[in-house]
Amino acid sequence: MQKSLFKLTMLATVILGISACSGDNKTTDESAASSDAKAAKTLLYCSEGSPAGFDPAQYTAGTDFDASAFPIYNGLVEFKRDGTEIQPALAESWDISEDGKTYTFNLRKGVKYGKTDYFTPTRDFNADDIVFTLERITNPEFEFNKAYPAEFPYSVGMGLPDIISNIEKVDDNTVKITLSETNAPFLQNLAMPFAYIDSAEYAEKLMASGNAADINTKPVGTGPFVFTSYQKDAQIRYTKNPDYWNKDDIHIDNLVFVITKDSAVRAQKVQAGECHVSAYPKPAEIDSVKKSGKATVLDQPGFNVGYVGYNVEKPKLSDLKVRQALDMAINKDAIINAVYQSEGLKATNPMPPTQWGYDKSIKDAPYDVEKAKSLIKEAGADKLAINLWYMPVQRPYNPNAKLMAEMLQADWAKIGVDTKRR
């Protein structure tokens, strides 16, 4: 399996140096957002889509985490910005037993939940909230899961239901988590948005009223912002949490997600002052934005890896020689130039170089059409036919899956492989 990696690029304007433009062609929602931009300390973010919901435990997409986890919630621990190193969040510190199986978290005191028009907290964050959150994503028989059945793909995928054997409230400010086996990335896993902490008090109120599903539509958290309103495919609005425990980390009073699915339109809105920040542009748009002088383009190597996955349950694809041949036949340089507009790197690991486990000694397979033909012949796969699925949406790790599929189809045709795109 060969993987392509490209630079995650963000379009951004200097927040204090931009004013929203007005115009007759705006929708009512856009005009309201622009009016907000003129108010003190309001940030307009052009987001790429509507979230599936506001309960980060249920989802895996960045769109969902951007709209829920990061503005509204906190984790026990969180990642430092621009890296994978963890730092304290709702847990001020923690101790790990000598056998690596018991984690004792010392919780931050005085943390307030955000007040909304649908819930007013009566207590501070405490150990009950940790127990509720972790029981919910690891125990199918947990009472709340019966009231509101949901799937937790990240938790299950990382094996947390099997790894976590006990969650114990020692006292209001201390939680002890015991694992069934040592797990090196356990703390990093808890730093991911799916494990951000819910309010047990709010969940209890929802169950009592028969509205447990509201945890996904009316979120309550300890994060920097409080959820205000949501109009699907239009806007999400948040206000600053005045009781946020890390006040130095909030520099704006209002946050507005201006949902704009088309990346070209997002770029235009940033340049026109209708949004302050936008993310996930298509590589082809970056150069024109740079030349406009109306926006600042920020980029850095991302945590994304795009790849071709082979279904090894298919008889021919289970043969290593066939997979090696398919790899060698792919002109990755051409794909990087055409699909990523040269804003990419060839991946030689199953992870990007920004990850701590990246191995610089691994070398990429050579591009060698003749050798690929030879391997196909040796494997007896001269009449190999492949169905190639490509995703119908744009992603940072693959901004144009259709074009990539077409290029793979052409590359594999050179070694006699019949590829049908779907």
Side-chain angles (χ1 to χ4, degrees):
M1 184 184 296
Q2 294 300 313
K3 304 178 184 284
S4 300
L5 174 71
F6 80 108
K7 292 181 181 179
L8 173 63
T9 306
M10 178 180 290
L11 299 177
T13 60
V14 179
I15 295 172
L16 297 179
I18 193 168
S19 60
C21 298
S22 60
D24 295 336
N25 60 338
K26 291 179 183 175
T27 64
T28 301
D29 289 331
E30 287 174 334
S31 297
S34 295
S35 296
D36 279 348
K38 296 176 183 177
K41 298 181 180 179
T42 293
L43 177 69
L44 304 179
Y45 170 60
C46 264
S47 64
E48 76 280 12
S50 296
F54 293 88
D55 173 22
Q58 296 187 47
Y59 304 111
T60 62
T63 302
D64 305 316
F65 293 153
D66 287 347
S68 61
F70 302 121
I72 302 169
Y73 296 95
N74 289 119
L76 265 175
V77 293
E78 296 175 6
F79 292 111
K80 290 184 178 179
R81 289 176 181 170
D82 302 325
T84 56
E85 184 180 352
I86 59 170
Q87 63 184 1
L90 293 180
E92 285 188 309
S93 62
W94 51 90
D95 300 299
I96 306 174
S97 62
E98 288 188 11
D99 64 2
K101 294 183 180 180
T102 301
Y103 290 71
T104 302
F105 293 92
N106 305 304
L107 306 182
R108 192 177 299 276
K109 299 176 183 178
V111 174
K112 310 290 184 184
Y113 279 93
K115 298 176 183 178
T116 70
D117 58 3
Y118 46 85
F119 179 67
T120 300
T122 64
R123 65 162 175 82
D124 290 350
F125 155 78
N126 67 29
D128 291 330
D129 304 315
I130 306 300
V131 174
F132 169 81
T133 300
L134 296 183
E135 284 282 2
R136 183 186 174 219
I137 64 176
T138 60
N139 181 6
E141 300 304 315
F142 189 53
E143 187 177 2
F144 191 87
N145 290 335
K146 295 177 182 178
Y148 176 49
E151 295 183 355
F152 308 108
Y154 254 130
S155 177
V156 173
M158 291 180 172
L160 292 190
D162 296 323
I163 293 169
I164 296 178
S165 62
N166 190 49
I167 307 161
E168 177 188 353
K169 174 185 176 180
V170 178
D171 56 44
D172 278 351
N173 303 306
T174 313
V175 172
K176 183 182 293 185
I177 301 174
T178 303
L179 308 185
S180 59
E181 59 187 36
T182 56
N183 185 262
F186 181 64
L187 286 175
Q188 278 78 7
N189 290 345
L190 291 184
M192 294 186 66
F194 77 90
Y196 280 16
I197 305 304
D198 287 303
S199 165
E201 181 189 17
Y202 179 50
E204 185 178 349
K205 176 194 173 185
L206 293 179
M207 287 186 64
S209 63
N211 296 309
D214 282 0
I215 199 170
N216 190 35
T217 57
K218 297 179 178 179
V220 171
T222 61
F225 296 95
V226 175
F227 175 79
T228 303
S229 65
Y230 170 48
Q231 294 173 276
K232 185 177 175 60
D233 296 332
Q235 286 187 2
I236 314 171
R237 291 175 175 266
Y238 314 81
T239 57
K240 180 174 70 174
N241 179 358
D243 299 317
Y244 187 48
W245 57 271
N246 191 9
K247 288 183 171 58
D248 291 341
D249 207 34
I250 310 180
H251 305 286
I252 55 175
D253 297 315
N254 303 290
L255 174 63
V256 181
F257 277 41
V258 181
I259 299 170
T260 311
K261 295 182 179 180
D262 190 300
S263 64
V265 176
R266 294 198 299 272
Q268 291 168 6
K269 285 187 175 183
V270 170
Q271 294 173 86
E274 296 173 19
C275 285
H276 297 123
V277 181
S278 174
Y280 313 126
K282 291 182 179 178
E285 298 161 0
I286 296 172
D287 189 54
S288 62
V289 172
K290 287 180 178 178
K291 291 178 179 178
S292 74
K294 297 178 180 178
T296 300
V297 178
L298 306 176
D299 66 79
Q300 67 179 33
F303 292 104
N304 299 305
V305 175
Y307 63 90
V308 177
Y310 301 126
N311 183 353
V312 296
E313 293 184 356
K314 300 293 183 180
K316 292 298 183 182
L317 292 179
S318 66
D319 191 321
L320 175 60
K321 289 184 178 179
V322 170
R323 298 198 302 274
Q324 288 175 329
L326 294 172
D327 288 349
M328 288 184 179
I330 299 173
N331 188 340
K332 302 183 194 71
D333 289 330
I335 288 175
I336 288 173
N337 290 333
V339 177
Y340 301 104
Q341 303 295 301
S342 300
E343 294 285 335
L345 301 171
K346 280 189 286 189
T348 59
N349 282 217
M351 62 185 71
T354 42
Q355 290 279 26
W356 63 267
Y358 186 81
D359 187 347
K360 295 180 180 179
S361 68
I362 297 176
K363 304 300 180 185
D364 190 27
Y367 172 54
D368 191 333
V369 175
E370 295 306 315
K371 177 64 174 176
K373 289 180 180 177
S374 176
L375 287 171
I376 286 288
K377 187 174 182 180
E378 289 178 26
D382 304 71
K383 296 182 180 180
L384 178 62
I386 293 177
N387 288 320
L388 178 62
W389 177 88
Y390 61 91
M391 59 187 182
V393 294
Q394 174 192 338
R395 288 288 183 265
Y397 52 83
N398 194 336
N400 193 334
K402 182 175 184 292
L403 175 58
M404 183 182 288
E406 291 170 349
M407 296 181 74
L408 290 174
Q409 183 180 40
D411 284 342
W412 287 340
K414 295 175 184 177
I415 61 172
V417 175
D418 180 20
T419 307
K420 292 182 173 59
R421 292 179 286 110
R422 61 184 180 90

